[in-house]
Amino acid sequence: MGPQLTSPSTSDLSRDDLFSMLRNERRREVIHYLRTHEGPVDLRDLSEYIAAIENDCEPAAVTYKQRKRVQTALYQMHLPKLAEQNIISYDRRAGRVELAAGAENCLPYLAADTDRKRRRWWRWYLLVAAVVAVPVGLATLGVRPFTSVSGLGYAAVACAAFVAISILQVTQERGRDA
């Protein structure tokens, strides 16, 4: 594959080093992607895949800017770290990446990370905040019928909505972890 960034030693990583590698979602996604693609993959395709996950869209919908942001981070930080630990082989000049022998150490821990398509709860919280903010803003501007509801009424609705979403999130996450 040409000049590569790999560690000369293939010895097992310490548990702390392994967890340090896997604590970053992008590095975990790199390993997941490489596990499902045989042989070397192109850095551009890998970046597009991760950008799609991060932007909650299909890879075809990823913009140049979104892909480039991920690609730069992979190129400068994540891939060299994974290569140092012999988890991947990375040819910087060709932009090609593949799993290395050290990836076997990661697989048992990644098997526990089965639900990678997590609901992005922050979007629901943002939606509730917007739904509450609009009538409050209209009431502040004196628009009828929004002025007929007291501030305490709006506060109660907002609290109830956030409590409901929080309960849904906890219920879903406990069900997933069970």
Side-chain angles (χ1 to χ4, degrees), residues 1 4 9 18 21 34 58 61 74 93 108 112-113 119 126 135 159 161 166-167 169 172 178:
M1 240 175 80
Q4 300 174 359
S9 165
L18 184 59
M21 286 292 109
L34 294 175
E58 293 299 316
L74 290 177
R93 276 192 288 173
D113 186 26
R119 173 167 285 162
L126 188 60
C159 286
S166 298
I167 290 170
Q169 182 179 4
Q172 184 195 36

Side-chain angles (χ1 to χ4, degrees), residues 22-30 53 118 120:
L22 297 178
R23 80 172 171 224
N24 183 278
E25 185 176 3
R26 281 185 177 166
R27 290 194 284 262
R28 289 191 309 272
E29 291 301 340
V30 165
I53 291 171
R118 292 176 210 95
R120 306 261 186 207

Side-chain angles (χ1 to χ4, degrees), residues 7-80:
S7 173
S9 165
T10 59
S11 64
D12 290 342
L13 291 170
S14 73
R15 187 183 327 190
D16 288 340
D17 289 339
L18 184 59
F19 287 161
S20 176
M21 286 292 109
L22 297 178
R23 80 172 171 224
N24 183 278
E25 185 176 3
R26 281 185 177 166
R27 290 194 284 262
R28 289 191 309 272
E29 291 301 340
V30 165
I31 297 166
H32 279 296
Y33 185 82
L34 294 175
R35 284 181 62 204
T36 60
H37 294 78
E38 286 215 18
V41 300
D42 187 65
L43 176 58
R44 177 188 164 93
D45 296 337
L46 175 61
S47 302
E48 192 171 78
Y49 166 80
I50 293 174
I53 291 171
E54 292 179 1
N55 292 284
D56 200 22
C57 65
E58 293 299 316
V62 170
T63 66
Y64 171 81
K65 186 176 178 182
Q66 292 168 334
R67 182 187 54 78
K68 198 64 175 170
R69 183 176 41 85
V70 171
Q71 186 171 330
T72 300
L74 290 177
Y75 180 83
Q76 292 179 350
M77 182 175 42
H78 300 298
L79 296 180

Side-chain angles (χ1 to χ4, degrees), residues 98-162:
E98 68 183 319
L99 285 179
E104 290 298 318
N105 297 327
C106 303
L107 300 183
Y109 299 102
L110 291 176
D113 186 26
T114 56
D115 186 21
R116 293 172 31 243
K117 290 267 188 183
R118 292 176 210 95
R119 173 167 285 162
R120 306 261 186 207
W121 285 102
W122 65 267
R123 292 180 183 200
W124 289 99
Y125 288 103
L126 188 60
L127 177 65
V128 167
V131 166
V132 170
V134 168
V136 169
L138 292 172
T140 303
L141 294 173
V143 176
R144 291 187 135 340
F146 299 102
T147 54
S148 61
V149 179
S150 71
L152 186 57
Y154 284 119
V157 169
C159 286
F162 282 112

